[in-house]
Amino acid sequence: MAEKKKASLGLKLAYAALFLLILAAAVLGIHVSNLNAQVQYVNSLTPTPVPDYPPNMMQVTPDPSVTRAPILKTGSRGDAVKQLQLRLKELGYLPGAADGQFGPATETAVILFQQQHGLTPDGKAGPATTELLYSSAAKPFTPTPTPAPTPTPSAAPTDALSDTERLQLRLKELGYYTGAVDGSYGPATKAAVRSFQQAHGLAADGIAGSKTNAVLYSSAAKPFTTPAPGSEPWVRADGLPLLVNAANHLPSGYQTADLVMMRTYCDSSIVTIKGSEIQGERVAVDALMAMLRAAHQDGLTIWQVSAGHRSVAYQQQLFDDQVYAYRQDGMTRTQAEAKTRQTVADPGASEHHTGLAFDITVPGQQFSNTKQSQWLAQHCWEYGFIIRYPIDKVNITGISYEPWHIRYVGVEHSIRMRDEGLCLEEYIEKYGN
Ligand SMILES: [Zn+2]
């Protein structure tokens, strides 16, 4: 009897111990899964309150399905970048489209966010920036009316200067402005601001607004550099050449300067505009009209423009329509896209995005067989245009001969390209830095 009682007590103790163990495991389990949820939630990049745990706790839970988000920086692309851009847009830091490509505009938006939140403004979305960005502590962009000038060894006492003088001084210091610091916001100052904005992916309106100033007077302001080919295909602020091809997509934040509706803008006795929607940049359209007037004087009177400026969205539509047509023919998506790329540029890769390219045709005729084609090849250079895809440069441009596609680069460049026999890729490689 006593033996039995003893045994039953032992059993009870064992059960109690087991119960405590299970309880402990359950509590721990809940804690671990809660932590996992928190980690996952950071990775899912949704705007919700910040989890308050020390960062190194993330490493305590070795869960292979939970990988830390990579640092997003210039050159990154994909859905994570798109989400980042959407969040930056939501908070008012990023203008333009969330295209999933981390370019200068995204970098600038990240810098602005970092500055406003006391983070190191390095323009990279690392863990600290990302965590704050998606937390409820993320503040929307608020303009800072008069940014404090950064102390520079060269600068005169800046508090005696007007805003415009200070702006000119700062732009000069960075190499964007070469004129006099006279306090007058003239075309040279405006061009310098535009150039600075372009280099930082800001809307290039030439107005030193709050966003521009926030970057301009920060340590994140980059000095002026003439872009190297392949890296930053901008040459526009100072001279026209700008490289847009399969390897150099239109820079994010690119803005056409001054588009005109060609049907209403152009003299219809000189040229027919095929589509009512066709637009071009004023500077290029003016040069085109001067050129075609000269052609008329040479006796060639029938000219048509069948393409001008195209937005990236429109190019996407052209691309998608062609893919759809091939898929209707029974191709797989991969096949259809590959086939489409033979004739339609990827969105972002078309020269027509620049607003400086036109397709010239003669109604009802194969253009390469026309006198107009010959005249264009001979004279377009004198008016600042180039035959963008010459017959002997196919291996460099990657585009088959297109005698009808002309591109405005400005007369000093077009003449040099003609004289040296260079296509745009070669020209920018030679003179682009
Ligand atoms: Zn074209």
Side-chain angles (χ1 to χ4, degrees), residues 150-158 169-170 172-174:
T150 45
T152 50
S154 67
T158 45
L169 197 65
R170 180 68 175 147
K172 217 176 163 73
E173 204 172 76
L174 293 167

Side-chain angles (χ1 to χ4, degrees), residues 25 27 65 82 104 111 122 129-130 170 179 212 252 282 290 327:
V27 167
S65 70
K82 193 165 186 171
I111 288 167
D122 61 1
T129 299
T130 306
R170 180 68 175 147
T212 300
S252 63
R282 188 185 302 269
R327 293 203 71 190

Side-chain angles (χ1 to χ4, degrees), residues 40 43 46-47 70 125 163 167 172 176 199 209-210 233 253 257 273 299 303 323 348-349 381 412 421 427:
Q40 241 145 13
N43 281 280
T46 43
D163 282 356
L167 174 75
K172 217 176 163 73
Y176 293 90
S210 57
I273 309 298
W303 296 94
V323 170
W381 320 89
E412 60 166 297
Y427 183 75

Side-chain angles (χ1 to χ4, degrees), residues 307-308 310 350-352 357-360 389 402 404-406:
R310 267 180 219 158
S350 169
E351 261 235 321
H352 286 282
F358 305 100
D359 290 343
I360 306 295
Y389 307 112
E402 289 193 356
W404 58 84
H405 180 113
I406 57 167

